[in-house]
Amino acid sequence: MKALVAVKRVIDYNVKVRVKADNTDVDLANTKMSINPFCEIAVEEAVRLKEAGVVSEIVVVSIGDKSCQEQMRYAMALGADRGIQVEAEGKVNSLDVARILAKVNESENADILLLGKQAIDSDNNQTGQMLAALLDVPQATFASEVKIADGKAQVTREVDGGLVTVEMDLPALVTTDLRLNEPRFAALPKIMQAKRKPLEVKTVADLGVELTNSIELLSVETPAERSGGIKVDSVDALIDKLRNEAQVI
Amino acid sequence: MKTLIIAEHDGQNLKGATLSAVTAATKLGGAVDVLLAGASVAGIATQAAAVSGVDRVLTVEDAALEHTLAEFVAPVAQQLAGDYTHVILGASTFGKDIAPRVAALCGVNQISEVIEVVDADTFKRPIYAGNAIATVKSNDSLKVMTVRGTAFAAADTGGSAAIEAASATVPAAKVRFVGAEVSESDRPELESAGIVVSGGRGVGSKEDFAKVFELADKLGAAVGASRAAVDSGFVPNDMQVGQTGKMVAPKLYIAVGISGAIQHLAGMKDSATIVAINKDEEAPIFNIADYGLVGDLHDILPELVSKV
Ligand SMILES: Cc1cc2nc3c(=O)[nH]c(=O)nc-3n(C[C@H](O)[C@H](O)[C@H](O)COP(=O)(O)OP(=O)(O)OC[C@H]3O[C@@H](n4cnc5c(N)ncnc54)[C@H](O)[C@@H]3O)c2cc1C
Ligand SMILES: Cc1cc2nc3c(=O)[nH]c(=O)nc-3n(C[C@H](O)[C@H](O)[C@H](O)COP(=O)(O)OP(=O)(O)OC[C@H]3O[C@@H](n4cnc5c(N)ncnc54)[C@H](O)[C@@H]3O)c2cc1C
């Protein structure tokens, strides 16, 4: 059984982004970049499925410029077997990412596709659902538990009201939520080994995908900053402020 | 201009996220129709018809639609979407699950978590955990979007829309609903509550979280949590507030034993008044709190409960 995992290079989750002075975009110069945390969870889940003998091969795919190979190598250090980078400059919108991934999957024919639920830069939460639609396969978004047996995936999903469990025939697509697993640390020998794993580079043109560019980014602003207030020294003082100043209780 | 709203419901009641979607649609102007897909939706259709601003309620009933899974709802929406310029859903887990699937079936992009309608093609949305606001323009002929509940007030009742059965076929899909664990609570809904009391890792344990619930009940508040509190098993996942959880903006938000990571702030910094209770006076949460109280929450919570 083959697993295909899509990983995105994003700003490290510990870094607070700054907006450029000219408001055209955010400033990512010299910013620490990492694998999107939800993609890391997706890779870890694939590796666990492989360790459990369910999955036999893990292919990791990333769309971006050459720098995203760093995150692909990291995914391989965690246990992915090989990588496909689809070279693309600039911002590729979610539908185009999904179309590229669908095209890659035409030759890969994965049984299980694992994506993060959301990229923590754009906070879009849409690529997996779009890919599932394009491939006409079932989707289990926001997964907190994945069990695969007998050609079926049983997935528990974190939803607003609690948890929902669905069963899907394979091939199927899963997007990961925070509680699916806790990714392992990549050990140094694994990081060294990962450098020798196969990493194929394709271009969007190779795949015959024409980008839509249907979303234009007009401007980016810093939101209104909230300034800190005051410290009160007792519960009584707090209650007094809430009753008489803020008038919220 | 013509908007189709895909309604969220639990088989019994229309959800609040849909009422926010109606408000966003009225900002666009033009006709507003609501698609109600489910197994048996007559009762909910009456509720939707009474929402102010709605012109028509379109019902599609089919046993396969019972659990409103994306694989069934999205193709139904796609069959109807041809008549519309906009398709809007609330940015709840329901909306996030379905909207991108509808968009991809229609061959267009999707715009997530809109907080402001600038014009029919242009929208504002937060990115990077709310640390930047992007203005994006869609050049697609159909705009499919989700809207954030904290940015669009729930539409009132007082409308009297027509209810019509729409014809759409529900395709077969290789997915089956197995079960749900619904969190039952008599407390107000987190996303729409006037007051929210949230606990973090500092609360210490599931047992100690009872103190957070007690304060919430005294204030008639909903209860939220940080990711760390959910990961530690103090409370269920549906209480997580933040970038990757629920977005809240109550008139009063009380953060107890929460440090104030950017991911948590993303979900609550639009609250009108913020209170932080933390034993570490350097905790970042104090940088955005209107009122901070430094001290041990195990002493402060019981005292608050007895005095408010
Ligand atoms: C500041 C900023 C400006 C932008 N400007 C524009 C613009 O002008 N025009 C435009 O069209 N778009 C723009 N975007 C959108 C941006 O290019 C998104 O990255 C794009 O929509 C891809 O989807 P996502 O990352 O939001 O996916 P999400 O749906 O949030 O991500 C879910 C999952 O999809 C997978 N995935 C997403 N992207 C990739 C990838 N590249 N490679 C492999 N897997 C991936 C991962 O598994 C990820 O966890 C902008 C985004 C930002 C942050
Ligand atoms: C991809 C990703 C997504 C995330 N999404 C979210 C999200 O949606 N929501 C979210 O909340 N987090 C999210 N996080 C996690 C976030 O980064 C923080 O780790 C988390 O918010 C920390 O929770 P906390 O403040 O409860 O715990 P901590 O940071 O451990 O803080 C505990 C606080 O309690 C205080 N404390 C301890 N004991 C006491 C006491 N007796 N009395 C008073 N104060 C006490 C401490 O001083 C400390 O400030 C995400 C992280 C990642 C990587």
Side-chain angles (χ1 to χ4, degrees):
Chain A
M1 183 178 302
K2 190 190 282 187
L4 187 140
V5 186
V7 304
K8 186 179 185 191
R9 173 184 167 90
V10 298
I11 189 170
D12 186 84
Y13 81 96
N14 275 311
V15 180
K16 187 171 169 183
V17 80
R18 262 176 227 290
V19 173
K20 284 185 180 167
D22 65 1
N23 291 107
T24 53
D25 204 340
V26 297
D27 191 356
L28 293 180
N30 304 316
T31 306
K32 182 174 180 209
M33 303 296 280
S34 296
I35 183 170
N36 179 42
F38 290 100
C39 300
E40 190 179 356
I41 293 171
V43 174
E44 174 67 31
E45 194 63 17
V47 175
R48 290 187 190 192
L49 287 167
K50 192 175 172 192
E51 287 167 346
V54 176
V55 159
S56 51
E57 190 188 21
I58 303 168
V59 182
V60 55
V61 185
S62 193
I63 295 140
D65 62 22
K66 194 165 191 288
S67 57
C68 74
Q69 289 189 6
E70 192 188 327
Q71 281 65 41
M72 299 179 67
R73 292 288 175 202
Y74 185 78
M76 291 189 234
L78 292 179
D81 296 296
R82 61 185 170 89
I84 301 170
Q85 181 214 343
V86 181
E87 182 73 37
E89 295 289 333
K91 308 236 155 77
V92 184
N93 64 51
S94 307
L95 181 64
D96 286 339
V97 170
R99 289 166 66 229
I100 292 167
L101 292 172
K103 200 73 193 179
V104 168
N105 194 56
E106 254 178 36
S107 40
E108 293 296 337
N109 276 308
D111 304 281
I112 181 91
L113 298 108
L114 289 152
L115 285 86
K117 81 162 176 182
Q118 153 179 2
I120 61 161
D121 51 359
S122 61
D123 284 335
N124 266 332
N125 197 331
Q126 44 184 243
T127 306
Q129 296 87 314
M130 289 178 163
L131 178 58
L134 298 179
L135 297 175
D136 194 20
V137 299
Q139 70 186 43
T141 47
F142 331 134
S144 63
E145 194 181 359
V146 175
K147 290 188 220 154
I148 297 182
D150 308 324
K152 295 182 178 68
Q154 182 161 318
V155 180
T156 301
R157 309 174 47 228
E158 292 196 356
V159 297
D160 288 339
L163 298 169
V164 165
T165 302
V166 293
E167 184 188 73
M168 308 182 287
D169 295 343
L170 300 180
L173 184 144
V174 171
T175 75
T176 61
D177 215 320
L178 295 170
R179 271 144 311 257
L180 182 57
N181 61 50
E182 237 178 276
R184 69 196 64 194
F185 289 103
L188 192 61
K190 301 261 186 202
I191 294 175
M192 301 312 289
Q193 277 169 24
K195 292 189 175 150
R196 293 190 301 272
K197 290 187 178 175
L199 195 164
E200 195 183 343
V201 180
K202 293 187 177 174
T203 63
V204 174
D206 290 341
L207 293 169
V209 175
E210 222 169 292
L211 300 182
T212 59
N213 295 323
S214 63
I215 307 280
E216 277 176 64
L217 181 68
L218 300 184
S219 65
V220 178
E221 314 148 59
T222 306
E225 286 284 335
R226 221 189 150 100
S227 48
I230 55 158
K231 290 222 172 78
V232 292
D233 58 8
S234 67
V235 167
D236 291 320
L238 177 62
I239 293 174
D240 174 61
K241 290 287 184 196
L242 294 179
R243 282 217 175 108
N244 302 314
E245 194 173 82
Q247 301 183 348
V248 284
I249 59 170
Chain B
M1 200 100 61
K2 209 171 165 201
T3 300
L4 180 67
I5 287 168
I6 305 178
E8 175 175 3
H9 63 86
D10 57 10
Q12 238 101 66
N13 291 301
L14 200 61
K15 294 283 182 176
T18 300
L19 303 177
S20 296
V22 172
T23 302
T26 54
K27 303 249 186 246
L28 287 164
V32 180
D33 291 352
V34 172
L35 165 63
L36 203 44
S40 152
V41 296
I44 316 165
T46 316
Q47 293 170 28
V51 176
S52 164
V54 176
D55 295 297
R56 289 192 305 165
V57 176
L58 307 176
T59 60
V60 177
E61 295 190 316
D62 190 298
L65 294 168
E66 184 179 354
H67 301 288
T68 58
L69 297 178
E71 293 83 346
F72 303 110
V73 177
V76 166
Q78 182 230 341
Q79 290 166 58
L80 303 178
D83 295 340
Y84 296 87
T85 54
H86 295 75
V87 172
I88 305 185
L89 296 88
S92 55
T93 51
F94 168 87
K96 291 173 185 177
D97 188 41
I98 290 176
R101 193 158 179 129
V102 174
L105 291 177
C106 295
V108 298
N109 252 298
Q110 190 242 305
I111 303 156
S112 295
E113 306 244 11
V114 168
I115 56 167
E116 190 184 324
V117 173
V118 178
D119 61 37
D121 313 315
T122 313
F123 311 95
K124 290 195 182 192
R125 55 176 308 266
I127 52 176
Y128 291 93
N131 288 309
I133 309 291
T135 303
V136 294
K137 179 166 183 271
S138 162
N139 296 316
D140 284 319
S141 54
L142 172 71
K143 278 84 176 154
V144 180
M145 56 203 230
T146 61
V147 299
R148 193 173 274 190
T150 53
F152 298 96
D156 286 328
T157 49
S160 54
I163 301 174
E164 297 169 21
S167 71
T169 48
V170 184
K174 293 175 174 167
V175 61
R176 291 159 295 278
F177 174 85
V178 176
E181 257 177 66
V182 181
S183 307
E184 299 283 353
S185 166
D186 300 332
R187 297 188 179 86
E189 210 183 314
L190 191 50
E191 296 95 319
S192 55
I195 304 180
V196 173
V197 184
S198 284
R201 195 196 319 265
V203 174
S205 69
K206 193 173 177 172
E207 292 67 39
D208 283 317
F209 221 91
K211 299 186 184 121
V212 177
F213 284 109
E214 251 177 84
L215 177 61
D217 291 344
K218 204 69 193 282
L219 295 169
V223 179
S226 70
R227 175 195 174 177
V230 176
D231 285 3
S232 307
F234 301 171
V235 290
N237 64 278
D238 50 287
M239 289 191 185
Q240 182 181 315
V241 171
Q243 180 188 14
T244 63
K246 290 183 178 168
M247 301 292 160
V248 303
K251 67 180 174 37
L252 173 61
Y253 188 89
I254 306 182
V256 184
I258 292 178
S259 61
I262 51 175
Q263 292 84 7
H264 188 78
L265 303 188
M268 44 65 77
K269 69 180 159 68
D270 294 330
S271 306
T273 299
I274 297 174
V275 170
I277 299 171
N278 197 302
K279 69 175 183 191
D280 171 12
E281 61 176 325
E282 302 291 322
I285 188 83
F286 287 123
N287 299 334
I288 62 142
D290 299 286
Y291 305 113
L293 183 52
V294 180
D296 189 332
L297 65 91
H298 300 290
D299 303 329
I300 293 170
L301 283 180
E303 189 182 343
L304 259 174
V305 169
S306 70
K307 289 182 172 168
V308 291

